[in-house]
């Protein structure tokens, strides 16, 4: 079975749902000696199966698949309706209708069935932790399991249920924070301190993610006791990444100088390049995936219109280190 401590380059290509993660990117990271992860979020089960086949056709190196584990949740309907009215003007300006704010589980069972059938080398989970029974089943199939955690309490629970490793995600990370409680304020402990605290509590390998963009960042994570670093933002400009043109341009635009954390796009805390939409909607309520579905047409229209002040531009705090290059070169440059 895969062991994170055996990676030739101790780097995991973070799963970036919504476009940036592609089979070509995952394959390139794995081929270079790291561990590439496919992002199954927002895709159909058939798409995930097809992407697994594409990676296997491109490399014989180990790779994994990331699944969203979304617990049943219903936000305050009045707050969601208030927010819908608040963003209607933006949608009208871009000529689209807002989506329906509903809950779904991102086709959890269908995608899990794909994993159980196709058996990638690893499967990671975000937004929650599988049952002890499922983690045990995956282990019996020689599938390495990783659970995303954002606190020591989550780390203890994940290991107690049988997770083979942990992806410790700090507040510096781009995109959605993996906090299990949809309404909770995410832990703000800086990644180095969070990794040290988790490593002191658990006996499984840990991957450190959030603000890791250079070889020195990876080395720092290893010194704290991590077995590997999980890197996302540094790959956003990779040749193989599916990052849309608006997002790519913004990452290199000197007018974008900082990141911020927001619920304005999806109802779940996420970090991205600070823009007008985030500033105008700081009071967005908790409500994932409800707000994700509500704003999806608006976000797609903003990308089509080239409007970086409305489009979501997920990025971690070290976004300035991202560069255009083949993913194999980026992975090699991260070797400590």
């Amino acid at each position: 079975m895969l062991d994170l401590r055996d990676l030739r380059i101790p780097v995991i290509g973070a799963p970036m749902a919504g476009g940036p993660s592609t089979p070509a990117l995952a394959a390139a990271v794995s081929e270079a000696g790291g561990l590439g992860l496919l992002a199954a979020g927002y895709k159909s089960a058939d798409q995930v199966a097809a992407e697994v086949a594409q990676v296997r056709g491109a490399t014989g190196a180990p790779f994994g698949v990331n699944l969203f584990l979304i617990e049943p949740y219903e936000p305050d309907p009045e707050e969601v309706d208030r927010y819908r009215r608040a963003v209607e003007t933006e949608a009208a300006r871009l000529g689209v209708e807002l989506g329906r704010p509903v809950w779904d589980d991102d086709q959890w069972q269908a995608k899990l069935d794909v994993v159980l059938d196709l058996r990638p080398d690893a499967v990671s989970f975000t937004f929650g932790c599988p049952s002890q029974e499922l983690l045990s089943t995956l282990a019996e199939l020689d599938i390495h399991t990783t659970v995303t955690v954002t606190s020591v309490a989550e780390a203890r629970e994940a290991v107690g249920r049988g997770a083979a490793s942990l992806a410790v995600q700090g507040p510096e990370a781009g995109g959605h924070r993996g906090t299990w409680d949809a309404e909770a304020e995410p832990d703000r402990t800086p990644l180095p301190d969070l990794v040290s605290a988790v490593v002191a509590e658990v006996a499984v390998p840990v991957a450190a993610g959030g603000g890791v963009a250079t070889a020195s960042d990876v080395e720092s994570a290893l010194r704290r006791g991590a077995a590997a670093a999980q890197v996302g933002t540094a790959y956003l400009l990779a040749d193989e990444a599916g990052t849309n043109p608006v997002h790519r341009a913004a990452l290199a635009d000197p007018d974008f100088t900082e990141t911020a954390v927001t619920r304005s796009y999806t109802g779940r805390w996420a970090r991205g390049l600070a823009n007008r939409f985030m500033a105008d909607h700081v009071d967005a309520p908790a409500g994932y995936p409800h707000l994700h579905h509500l704003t999806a047409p608006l976000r797609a229209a903003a990308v089509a219109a080239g409007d970086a002040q409305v489009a979501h531009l997920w990025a971690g705090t070290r976004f300035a280190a991202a560069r255009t290059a083949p993913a194999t070169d980026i992975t090699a440059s991260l070797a400590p």
Side-chain angles (χ1 to χ4, degrees):
M1 186 187 296
L2 174 72
D3 189 319
L4 300 186
R5 293 165 291 201
D6 295 334
L7 295 176
R8 181 159 52 86
I9 295 179
V11 168
I12 299 169
M16 297 178 285
S21 287
T22 65
L25 179 59
V29 173
S30 290
E31 189 69 13
L35 179 67
L37 293 181
L38 288 170
Y42 311 130
K43 295 185 176 81
S44 70
D46 287 344
Q47 287 175 312
V48 175
E51 292 196 352
V52 168
Q54 288 177 56
V55 176
R56 283 189 167 145
T59 181
F63 72 96
V65 174
N66 174 260
L67 301 179
F68 288 174
L69 202 170
I70 308 172
E71 298 289 352
Y73 167 71
E74 286 301 325
D76 183 332
E78 292 184 1
E79 283 294 296
V80 173
D81 188 60
R82 174 192 62 78
Y83 192 66
R84 179 188 58 77
R85 295 194 303 271
V87 298
E88 275 181 335
T89 301
E90 294 278 12
R93 181 177 64 82
L94 289 167
V96 295
E97 293 186 4
L98 294 170
R100 292 182 59 240
V102 295
W103 181 87
D104 67 71
D105 66 359
D106 197 50
Q107 299 185 43
W108 162 257
Q109 189 58 55
K111 293 178 187 179
L112 180 60
D113 288 343
V114 168
V115 167
L116 294 171
D117 181 38
L118 299 183
R119 303 188 188 184
D121 302 275
V123 59
S124 69
F125 300 93
T126 300
F127 303 150
C129 184
S131 66
Q132 183 172 356
E133 180 183 12
L134 176 54
L135 289 171
S136 177
T137 296
L138 291 166
E140 289 170 1
L141 295 174
D142 287 334
I143 299 173
H144 179 89
T145 55
T146 297
V147 175
T148 303
V149 300
T150 61
S151 67
V152 172
E154 289 177 351
R156 288 197 201 101
E157 180 67 19
V159 172
R161 295 188 192 184
S165 67
L166 302 175
V168 177
Q169 185 195 47
E172 305 88 348
H176 287 112
R177 196 76 193 281
T179 310
W180 299 357
D181 184 340
E183 292 190 341
E185 288 282 339
D187 191 307
R188 297 183 183 181
T189 304
L191 179 67
D193 297 332
L194 183 59
V195 170
S196 294
V198 170
V199 167
E201 289 285 332
V202 303
V204 301
V206 163
V212 180
T214 66
S216 61
D217 295 333
V218 175
E219 186 175 12
S220 176
L222 299 184
R223 286 199 305 268
R224 292 278 181 164
Q230 183 158 292
V231 180
T233 300
Y235 287 109
L236 283 172
L237 295 179
D239 295 346
E240 299 88 347
T243 313
N244 69 63
V246 175
H247 198 172
R248 283 182 178 268
L251 287 164
D253 187 339
D255 287 342
F256 288 97
T257 60
E258 61 184 358
T259 62
V261 177
T262 184
R263 285 195 303 210
S264 60
Y265 291 109
T266 68
R268 174 179 273 278
W269 294 112
R271 183 177 294 277
L273 299 179
N275 63 5
R276 179 184 61 78
F277 189 86
M278 291 165 65
D280 286 351
H281 300 290
V282 294
D283 60 345
Y288 182 86
H290 308 72
L291 267 60
H292 161 76
H293 294 305
L294 179 76
T295 67
L298 169 64
R299 289 178 282 133
V303 170
D307 190 343
Q309 292 301 324
V310 175
H312 68 287
L313 310 167
W314 298 149
T317 56
R318 298 294 307 282
F319 71 92
R323 61 190 178 93
T324 301
T328 51
D329 291 355
I330 295 172
T331 305
S333 75
L334 291 166

